[in-house]
Amino acid sequence: MRLVVIGSLNVDYIASVKRLPGPGETVAATGLIRRFGGKGANQAVAAARQGASVSMIACVGNDDAGRSYCSRLRAEGINAAGVTATNRAMTGTALIAVDQAAENSIIVAAGANGELTPAAIRAQEDQIRSASMLLLQFEIPMPTVIEAVRIANKASIPVALNPSPLRDGFPWGKWELDTLIANAGEAQAIFGLPVERLPKTLARWQKTLVRRRISRLIITRGAQSTLCLSAADYLEIPTLKVKPVDTVGAGDAFAGAFAAHRAGGSEVLDAIRYANCAGAMATLKAGAQEAIPNRKLTERSLLTKGQRPPRPNA
Ligand code: RIB
């Protein structure tokens, strides 16, 4: 049971601020830390900590940051053989501000992530074809995302897509997606339907799901319950109540944990329970990967919060 994650690796510079700056405004930071980040790597780490066997396909710069990131992935038990190094750009960088309410704003300089080409994906075709699931985001070039989905579809490998950060260019409906994991804003933009009117407008969402060849849509809503829609079902799954310190990477912790449990054979509902818990716990420390829980901590937290513990994987 192997999960392949294709996506970005960034070095995150995280400044704590009293409030996020407005246009043209300078604010003083009360602290600055440097941490490993990037949506792809955050999701790979979240999946590995849930016990999945994870392989990552990505691109770093031929620099110290890139080398230390590869060591970091290996220390997390992630197969980094598919991570290449380029001389054309430096390792991706994210400039992040987090305010006192744990809200954030992020600027990403793609750097080497922008050098992950469709040819690099084709070079790893065997890895994708032998995976139990492929997990992708939108922080790498769109032709690369599309090539990976094409290869997975051809080999009948289920694809989980987290369309973040949302941008144009994905040919919705051309390829089959097993699961689309979106936040409320992303889901609304992709489907052109208001999330807050669910479940009243369920039939319209379901029609669009079928037309776009998406088997399941998961909508994460921060502290509110997670929604899960398919052509046949509609579920609302409560999340853990926590006091967040830093919400950077919470969505990544959700996506990685969900994919790990699905790749391991769990039912959708159980995978969402784990993912809700991982996403909430990831907000408890500064830094995208610092508070992502392992499987044991996730299960302990599910139990103490009185949620039914998911059944062990089949
Ligand atoms: O989703 C959080 C991530 O977005 C950060 O780690 C940052 O690198 C940006 O890619």
Side-chain angles (χ1 to χ4, degrees), residues 4 128 132-137 145 148-154 156-162 170 175-181 213-216 258-259:
V4 170
I128 300 172
S132 336
M133 179 167 253
L134 174 66
L135 175 61
L136 296 148
Q137 318 74 32
V145 172
V149 176
R150 185 192 68 78
I151 291 171
N153 267 205
K154 217 171 109 198
S156 302
I157 306 301
V159 176
L161 175 65
N162 171 223
F170 188 77
W175 305 106
E176 257 172 50
L177 299 176
D178 177 79
T179 309
L180 185 71
I181 305 167
R213 300 173 71 197
I214 301 167
S215 304
R216 180 174 307 102
F258 174 82

Side-chain angles (χ1 to χ4, degrees), residues 8 10 12 36-39 42 94 96 106 108 139 248-249 252 288:
S8 56
N10 291 330
D12 290 354
F36 293 105
K39 294 184 194 306
N42 295 343
I96 303 176
I106 304 180
V108 177
E139 219 170 37
V248 175
D252 298 332

